[in-house]
Amino acid sequence: MTTIALAQLNLLVGDIAGNARQVIDCAARVKGRADIVVFPELTLTGYPPEDLLLRPACDTRVAAALREIAAASHGISLVVGYPAMRDGVRYNVAGLVRDGVVELEYRKMQLPNYSVFDERRYFEPGAHAVVFEQGGVSFGLTVCEDIWFDLPVQRAAAAGAQVLLNLNASPYHEGKALERERLVADRARRFGVSVVYVNQVGGQDELVFDGSSFVVDDQGRIRHRAPMFETAETLVPFDGALPANAAITPLLVGEEQVYRALVCGTRDYVRKNGFRSVVLGLSGGIDSALTLAIAVDALGADRVEVVSMPSRYTAEISNSDAQAQARTMGVAYHSIPIEPAFNAFLDMLAPTFAGAPPDTTEENIQARCRGIILMAISNKRGHMLLTTGNKSEMSVGYATLYGDMAGGFAPLKDVPKTLVYRLARWRNRNGEVIPARVIERPPSAELRADQKDSDSLPDYDLLDAVLAQYVEQDRSVDDIVGAGFPRNDVERVARLVDRNEYKRRQAPPGVKITRRAYGRDRRYPIVNGF
Amino acid sequence: MTTIALAQLNLLVGDIAGNARQVIDCAARVKGRADIVVFPELTLTGYPPEDLLLRPACDTRVAAALREIAAASHGISLVVGYPAMRDGVRYNVAGLVRDGVVELEYRKMQLPNYSVFDERRYFEPGAHAVVFEQGGVSFGLTVCEDIWFDLPVQRAAAAGAQVLLNLNASPYHEGKALERERLVADRARRFGVSVVYVNQVGGQDELVFDGSSFVVDDQGRIRHRAPMFETAETLVPFDGALPANAAITPLLVGEEQVYRALVCGTRDYVRKNGFRSVVLGLSGGIDSALTLAIAVDALGADRVEVVSMPSRYTAEISNSDAQAQARTMGVAYHSIPIEPAFNAFLDMLAPTFAGAPPDTTEENIQARCRGIILMAISNKRGHMLLTTGNKSEMSVGYATLYGDMAGGFAPLKDVPKTLVYRLARWRNRNGEVIPARVIERPPSAELRADQKDSDSLPDYDLLDAVLAQYVEQDRSVDDIVGAGFPRNDVERVARLVDRNEYKRRQAPPGVKITRRAYGRDRRYPIVNGF
């Protein structure tokens, strides 16, 4: 009987000493009850450490951390992830630390270099299976991407592994947890091994890791599943190579899954950057309303401040809905009308602009006056400013740089507008926190009289459908038209997406929840004649 | 006797049809005088095409372009670069197009995946030399990085190549052109081959390609060198495998080299993004003064507009120096004092900030009022806004997000402050375009009374020296202190660099001129506990 602990930790990228402390604390907690503890991929640096890996000081700190972990490994086997320079070559390693020494190191074979991943920038692939014995069972080591391919699993099985310990840093997108389980279950069945899949949890810049660690037996049956978006430490007893049943937390689904991802990513970005609180502009529209709900769920109402900043174009119901929501959610609320600053700029620019008709310039000035107010409050009080824009806007550039795009973090950056609506309705399921009218009104930027989003953009149903095909699936304009969308709209949307890369490049990060987010996941040139 | 044309083109990333047109036009111009034309790496897509490569439409367009190029290849051999999907795998290819067909394709063996390069994200490496005969001489094909390694050269030589045709997209940094020549000359000598090295020229987002194409003989002697930072089309006659002497343009050196890189990068970023003109804020300080000189040299005085935006803290000499420089350079000039907007914001925020002492919040409001004015002029007139900050500021965050950091392009983003001074003095060599007093005054942000940069930052000589070691060479704080710098300063600088990644992430692109620029060249997490 061997008991394996799955340490689903929330690590801090770069904080090697702190992450080592988490390993040692966890080992101390489970010692006597567990025989082996499995930690996430690159436990010591967190994931993704990016170019921190290139600093020689990184290697020194990892080596020091490993010595401390080794000293804590008497009576318990710790399977820990870290980068390791060996003969001048850097590997992504899973090390077995027991009885005071780093006994074995497995080198990750499959290095992902697509989507958000850049592992070939840092690592060389390994080639050999590493298997160790404990309690009469053979355990094989693999790291994350390895298990998406046959070869590393095959080699481990051929080397005698009965149970695979797989260390992961697998970022979230909608539905990913289920994909992983299906794939790993298939590998387990085909190669006749049980698999212990340990994933990290928590936000890191634009990524959120959902945890969802699990254990499958050699028939591919789920024997344990840790919660999503929470740290966890579970002990799974094995009878020989067969896992006993342990807690199986249901997977979150649908809107709840996405919403929890947004809350987790937002909370960690704020907290891990050393902020305690946030401010955001509450317009009476649905994006800022949902952002407020996420902020309150992430940080608590006492750490959220909202500002309503009406102008001559703001409908009265926008102000009252904003105030009503602030009251419902119990957050600090001010109203600061932007007219004095807006007028000052119009006057200051009047000689320069003499004779020029009003255009988006004047709309942008309003958005930027709001940006200044919000950043001033952010600066003065030490709040992080949350940006409220959604993916549909970010895609087509329907947002003002340095205006409503200003901020440290954009929770909805990867959330299409149609999903914003679904999330808002879902959040209201147990009582209205977002006023119904905010959800039902036609959306408007309120930057000129009687403006509606639909004056400038196709219907959001159509827009989001086209964007999913153009941005997430790389389909061509002709293909999308062939799928039944009007050519005019498709061409316009594609052109807007291409032209607005410069805006996205200056946008704050947000939580990736789709298969392809803007940012490191979609790397487009700004100068682009495609 | 075989004559080779080196086509040092300025390509537009993504514009596959337009780039093919450049190839065809060039072939038509040199036909009858040249036997072979060598184009830059990935001629058809431009470099780097980034995730455009993942679009299936990219392959379709490349195939169509190749058919047109093939049709234009009667009587002349065209060696063209392009991405090619072969059996489901994408390669970075140099194709020999002659007599109406794509006759041979060489697949790049060495795929750089460090610094600004991500080629493993897109391509698989080739393994085989490709050699063709023309006029009794054997020509081998290689692509860029290949020639930095022995293996591809060795294989080509072993396959009989007497002359290597090397297609490049080698981005500039200071001194790079000379490095390339030395390295290629060494390979040429060691493997007994002549080398035709063709590089692209021009700016692409944060990169600038310097051209500097050249030919070396099998003794490593330079036989031809094309100019830096200009398109060129040179014919080099070969006697058998030996290049005859052709024009050898001297390499630019020192400040001139860097300055020309900045001008070229700025011109292309503006032009290739469809802008004709720029606006910038002229403060009377040296950064904006140098940026103005670059803008005028890049675009012409009639396409540059400057705005002076004094506040209560602006010295009178700042205004008069700004105006004097604008007059000298012959650019449109306005002065728009920011006091009305600044006061409006202070009043609007007074109730919210009641009792809070002034701090950087009020300084940032001033910078952001200027950002609004500049962006309004940019929006109204269709000018691109140039940002004037330098690398030293960008490193330590001595700049205001959405304020002086606002803009589409930052020419000095990778230029340390000490180099800004050297470049300004160099630009004044034939007559003062930057007022001497602007160069000689102690630098100040003028955001509060009697402010000096030296109140907040170490001396720029010290700062830049520490930054070079910490940012460009990844040295640790201890190492830098060991090299003789005060621990206090080094720790402070390192902390500021680490903490200000969030600002840099929202900064516009600028021209890379050092070995390590911010942006794709240095990929750091924002959440970072290192």
Side-chain angles (χ1 to χ4, degrees):
Chain A
M1 195 79 154
T2 307
T3 297
I4 300 186
L6 287 76
Q8 179 170 302
L9 299 181
N10 191 338
L11 303 158
L12 175 57
V13 161
D15 183 15
I16 295 168
N19 295 334
R21 176 54 44 205
Q22 285 206 51
V23 168
I24 292 165
D25 289 349
C26 175
R29 278 194 303 272
V30 302
K31 197 182 279 188
R33 297 181 292 132
D35 304 293
I36 302 173
V37 193
V38 183
F39 294 91
E41 179 178 14
L42 292 182
T43 325
L44 298 186
T45 56
Y47 194 95
E50 305 190 66
D51 283 6
L52 291 172
L53 288 169
L54 306 178
R55 301 201 77 90
C58 181
D59 300 316
T60 326
R61 293 185 199 177
V62 165
L66 275 178
R67 284 192 295 273
E68 290 187 32
I69 290 169
S73 70
H74 294 279
I76 191 154
S77 298
L78 307 175
V79 179
V80 180
Y82 50 90
M85 288 291 273
R86 299 293 176 249
D87 299 324
V89 177
R90 193 183 298 103
Y91 299 97
N92 182 339
V93 157
L96 169 67
V97 190
R98 73 178 163 185
D99 297 330
V101 293
V102 179
E103 191 181 313
L104 289 170
E105 285 184 343
Y106 167 78
R107 296 167 177 177
K108 186 175 183 178
M109 293 185 195
Q110 293 291 343
L111 300 172
N113 208 66
Y114 56 85
S115 175
V116 302
F117 302 107
D118 285 300
E119 293 198 19
R120 295 300 303 252
R121 184 174 171 89
Y122 308 107
F123 301 114
E124 288 297 317
H128 305 293
V130 168
V131 170
F132 69 94
E133 281 253 333
Q134 181 144 345
V137 179
S138 284
F139 295 91
L141 298 177
T142 52
V143 178
C144 207
E145 189 85 354
D146 283 334
I147 208 153
W148 296 72
F149 290 81
D150 281 349
L151 190 70
V153 181
Q154 201 168 45
R155 289 200 178 153
Q162 300 165 278
V163 180
L164 278 191
L165 307 180
N166 189 234
L167 286 67
N168 296 272
S170 177
Y172 173 76
H173 62 237
E174 199 185 343
K176 178 97 166 274
L178 195 58
E179 280 174 49
R180 281 184 210 123
E181 287 187 5
R182 287 184 174 154
L183 180 126
V184 171
D186 176 63
R187 287 277 176 306
R189 262 191 309 271
R190 285 175 40 224
F191 294 95
V193 289
S194 305
V195 180
V196 176
Y197 184 104
V198 178
N199 194 16
Q200 69 163 329
V201 71
Q204 171 62 31
D205 289 358
E206 59 191 24
L207 302 180
V208 63
F209 297 87
D210 50 304
S212 318
S213 301
F214 62 91
V215 175
V216 293
D217 66 19
D218 60 0
Q219 306 298 309
R221 287 174 299 216
I222 290 281
R223 295 300 195 159
H224 163 63
R225 185 190 301 118
M228 300 186 84
F229 305 114
E230 290 173 27
T231 56
E233 193 174 278
T234 331
L235 275 56
V236 178
F238 277 66
D239 184 3
L242 282 183
N245 282 327
I248 299 184
T249 315
L251 283 175
L252 303 173
V253 293
E255 285 78 21
E256 182 171 16
Q257 189 187 91
V258 174
Y259 189 85
R260 291 284 304 282
L262 298 174
V263 168
C264 178
T266 303
R267 179 191 294 130
D268 274 0
Y269 192 81
V270 171
R271 185 176 66 82
K272 291 182 174 180
N273 275 305
F275 284 79
R276 296 186 71 251
S277 54
V278 296
V279 59
L280 62 102
L282 197 65
S283 68
I286 192 163
D287 297 322
S288 60
L290 181 64
T291 305
L292 171 56
I294 291 166
V296 168
D297 291 338
L299 303 167
D302 57 322
R303 299 192 178 192
V304 180
E305 184 169 334
V306 298
V307 192
S308 148
M309 293 167 290
S311 78
R312 62 193 73 172
Y313 303 121
T314 308
E316 191 38 50
I317 55 169
S318 299
N319 298 329
S320 57
D321 287 348
Q323 194 166 7
Q325 190 190 359
R327 200 177 309 116
T328 308
M329 304 214 80
V331 298
Y333 166 89
H334 326 262
S335 174
I336 304 181
I338 63 166
E339 287 294 318
F342 182 37
N343 282 322
F345 282 114
L346 293 180
D347 289 348
M348 288 156 65
L349 289 161
T352 310
F353 289 172
D359 54 19
T360 52
T361 306
E362 287 74 16
E363 300 184 25
N364 287 336
I365 292 174
Q366 295 164 63
R368 292 186 180 123
C369 284
R370 294 189 175 108
I372 288 192
I373 292 170
L374 292 167
M375 284 303 294
I377 293 173
S378 161
N379 290 165
K380 189 65 93 186
R381 302 223 220 278
H383 299 324
M384 180 181 287
L385 172 57
L386 295 184
T387 312
T388 61
N390 60 62
K391 187 177 194 174
S392 312
E393 287 177 5
M394 267 302 92
S395 299
V396 294
Y398 196 67
T400 301
L401 259 179
Y402 325 130
D404 51 306
M405 286 179 62
F409 196 68
L412 305 184
K413 184 179 182 185
D414 196 35
V415 182
K417 186 82 170 187
T418 47
L419 180 53
V420 169
Y421 281 103
R422 280 161 42 213
L423 291 171
R425 292 205 168 87
W426 175 84
R427 184 61 186 79
N428 274 356
R429 74 203 179 288
N430 300 323
E432 186 176 295
V433 294
I434 296 169
R437 193 162 60 181
V438 169
I439 302 180
E440 284 147 21
R441 286 172 70 191
S444 165
E446 296 194 324
L447 294 170
R448 59 175 188 266
D450 303 319
Q451 187 177 32
K452 300 272 171 294
D453 289 9
S454 53
D455 303 339
S456 310
L457 298 177
D459 228 49
Y460 281 115
D461 284 333
L462 174 66
L463 177 61
D464 285 355
V466 172
L467 288 172
Q469 298 193 50
Y470 188 70
V471 175
E472 287 178 43
Q473 297 161 40
D474 279 334
R475 298 187 73 185
S476 69
V477 166
D478 287 345
D479 283 356
I480 302 172
V481 172
F485 294 91
R487 179 169 290 276
N488 272 357
D489 287 325
V490 178
E491 283 179 350
R492 183 152 145 257
V493 169
R495 199 170 53 240
L496 288 170
V497 170
D498 291 351
R499 278 199 189 161
N500 283 290
E501 180 61 23
Y502 79 100
K503 281 195 190 178
R504 290 188 290 269
R505 207 65 76 85
Q506 295 190 38
V511 187
K512 170 178 156 77
I513 60 143
T514 67
R515 279 180 185 278
R516 189 177 292 167
Y518 294 112
R520 61 160 60 232
D521 203 4
R522 184 179 189 270
R523 303 179 190 180
Y524 266 59
I526 299 177
V527 166
N528 178 2
F530 195 73
Chain B
M1 195 78 153
T2 306
T3 297
I4 300 186
L6 286 77
Q8 180 171 300
L9 300 181
N10 191 338
L11 304 158
L12 176 57
V13 161
D15 183 15
I16 294 168
N19 295 334
R21 176 53 45 204
Q22 286 205 51
V23 168
I24 292 165
D25 288 350
C26 176
R29 277 194 304 272
V30 301
K31 196 183 279 188
R33 297 182 292 133
D35 305 292
I36 302 172
V37 194
V38 184
F39 294 91
E41 180 178 14
L42 291 182
T43 325
L44 299 185
T45 55
Y47 194 94
E50 303 188 69
D51 283 6
L52 291 172
L53 289 169
L54 306 179
R55 301 201 77 90
C58 181
D59 300 316
T60 326
R61 294 184 198 178
V62 165
L66 275 179
R67 284 191 296 273
E68 291 187 30
I69 290 169
S73 70
H74 294 281
I76 191 155
S77 300
L78 306 175
V79 180
V80 179
Y82 50 90
M85 287 291 272
R86 300 292 175 252
D87 300 323
V89 177
R90 193 183 298 104
Y91 299 97
N92 182 339
V93 156
L96 169 67
V97 190
R98 71 178 164 185
D99 296 329
V101 293
V102 179
E103 190 180 312
L104 290 169
E105 285 184 344
Y106 167 78
R107 297 166 177 177
K108 186 177 184 177
M109 294 185 194
Q110 293 291 343
L111 300 172
N113 208 67
Y114 56 86
S115 174
V116 302
F117 302 107
D118 284 301
E119 293 197 19
R120 295 300 303 253
R121 183 174 172 90
Y122 308 108
F123 300 113
E124 287 297 317
H128 305 294
V130 168
V131 171
F132 70 94
E133 281 252 332
Q134 181 144 345
V137 178
S138 284
F139 293 91
L141 298 176
T142 52
V143 178
C144 206
E145 190 85 354
D146 284 334
I147 208 155
W148 296 72
F149 290 81
D150 281 349
L151 190 71
V153 181
Q154 202 170 42
R155 289 200 178 153
Q162 300 166 278
V163 179
L164 277 192
L165 306 179
N166 188 235
L167 287 66
N168 296 272
S170 177
Y172 173 76
H173 62 235
E174 198 186 343
K176 178 98 166 274
L178 195 57
E179 279 173 49
R180 282 185 209 120
E181 288 187 6
R182 287 185 173 153
L183 180 127
V184 172
D186 176 63
R187 286 278 177 304
R189 261 191 309 270
R190 283 174 42 223
F191 292 97
V193 291
S194 304
V195 179
V196 175
Y197 184 104
V198 178
N199 193 17
Q200 69 163 330
V201 71
Q204 172 61 30
D205 288 358
E206 60 190 22
L207 301 181
V208 62
F209 297 87
D210 51 303
S212 319
S213 301
F214 61 90
V215 174
V216 292
D217 66 19
D218 61 359
Q219 306 298 308
R221 285 174 301 215
I222 290 282
R223 295 300 195 159
H224 163 63
R225 185 190 300 118
M228 299 186 84
F229 305 115
E230 290 172 26
T231 57
E233 193 175 279
T234 331
L235 274 57
V236 179
F238 277 66
D239 183 3
L242 281 182
N245 282 327
I248 300 184
T249 315
L251 284 174
L252 304 172
V253 294
E255 286 77 22
E256 183 172 15
Q257 188 188 92
V258 174
Y259 190 85
R260 291 285 302 283
L262 299 174
V263 168
C264 178
T266 302
R267 179 191 294 129
D268 274 359
Y269 192 83
V270 172
R271 186 175 66 80
K272 291 182 175 180
N273 276 305
F275 284 78
R276 296 186 70 251
S277 54
V278 297
V279 60
L280 61 102
L282 197 65
S283 68
I286 192 161
D287 297 321
S288 60
L290 182 63
T291 304
L292 171 55
I294 291 167
V296 168
D297 291 339
L299 303 167
D302 56 322
R303 298 193 178 190
V304 180
E305 184 169 336
V306 298
V307 192
S308 148
M309 294 167 290
S311 78
R312 63 192 72 171
Y313 303 121
T314 307
E316 190 38 49
I317 56 169
S318 299
N319 299 329
S320 56
D321 288 348
Q323 194 167 5
Q325 190 190 0
R327 199 177 309 118
T328 308
M329 304 214 80
V331 298
Y333 166 89
H334 326 261
S335 175
I336 304 181
I338 63 166
E339 287 294 318
F342 182 37
N343 281 321
F345 282 113
L346 294 180
D347 289 348
M348 289 156 65
L349 288 161
T352 310
F353 289 173
D359 53 21
T360 52
T361 306
E362 287 74 17
E363 301 185 22
N364 286 336
I365 292 174
Q366 296 165 61
R368 292 186 180 124
C369 285
R370 295 189 174 108
I372 288 192
I373 292 169
L374 291 168
M375 285 302 295
I377 294 173
S378 162
N379 290 164
K380 189 65 91 185
R381 302 223 219 278
H383 299 325
M384 181 181 287
L385 172 57
L386 295 184
T387 312
T388 60
N390 61 62
K391 187 177 194 173
S392 312
E393 286 176 6
M394 267 302 93
S395 299
V396 295
Y398 196 67
T400 301
L401 258 179
Y402 325 130
D404 51 307
M405 286 178 63
F409 197 66
L412 305 183
K413 185 180 181 184
D414 197 36
V415 182
K417 186 82 170 188
T418 47
L419 180 54
V420 168
Y421 281 102
R422 280 161 41 212
L423 291 170
R425 292 204 167 88
W426 175 83
R427 183 62 186 78
N428 274 356
R429 74 202 180 289
N430 299 323
E432 186 176 295
V433 295
I434 297 169
R437 194 163 58 184
V438 169
I439 303 179
E440 284 148 21
R441 285 172 70 190
S444 165
E446 296 194 324
L447 294 170
R448 59 174 188 267
D450 303 320
Q451 188 177 29
K452 299 272 172 296
D453 289 9
S454 54
D455 303 340
S456 310
L457 299 177
D459 228 49
Y460 281 115
D461 284 333
L462 174 65
L463 177 60
D464 285 354
V466 172
L467 287 172
Q469 298 192 50
Y470 188 71
V471 175
E472 289 178 41
Q473 298 161 39
D474 279 334
R475 298 186 72 184
S476 68
V477 166
D478 287 345
D479 283 355
I480 303 172
V481 172
F485 294 91
R487 178 168 291 276
N488 272 357
D489 288 324
V490 178
E491 283 179 350
R492 183 151 144 258
V493 169
R495 197 170 55 241
L496 287 170
V497 170
D498 292 350
R499 277 198 191 162
N500 283 289
E501 180 59 26
Y502 79 100
K503 282 194 188 178
R504 289 188 291 269
R505 208 65 76 85
Q506 295 190 37
V511 188
K512 170 177 155 77
I513 60 143
T514 67
R515 278 180 187 276
R516 189 175 293 166
Y518 293 113
R520 61 159 61 233
D521 202 5
R522 184 180 190 271
R523 305 180 189 177
Y524 267 59
I526 299 177
V527 166
N528 177 3
F530 196 73

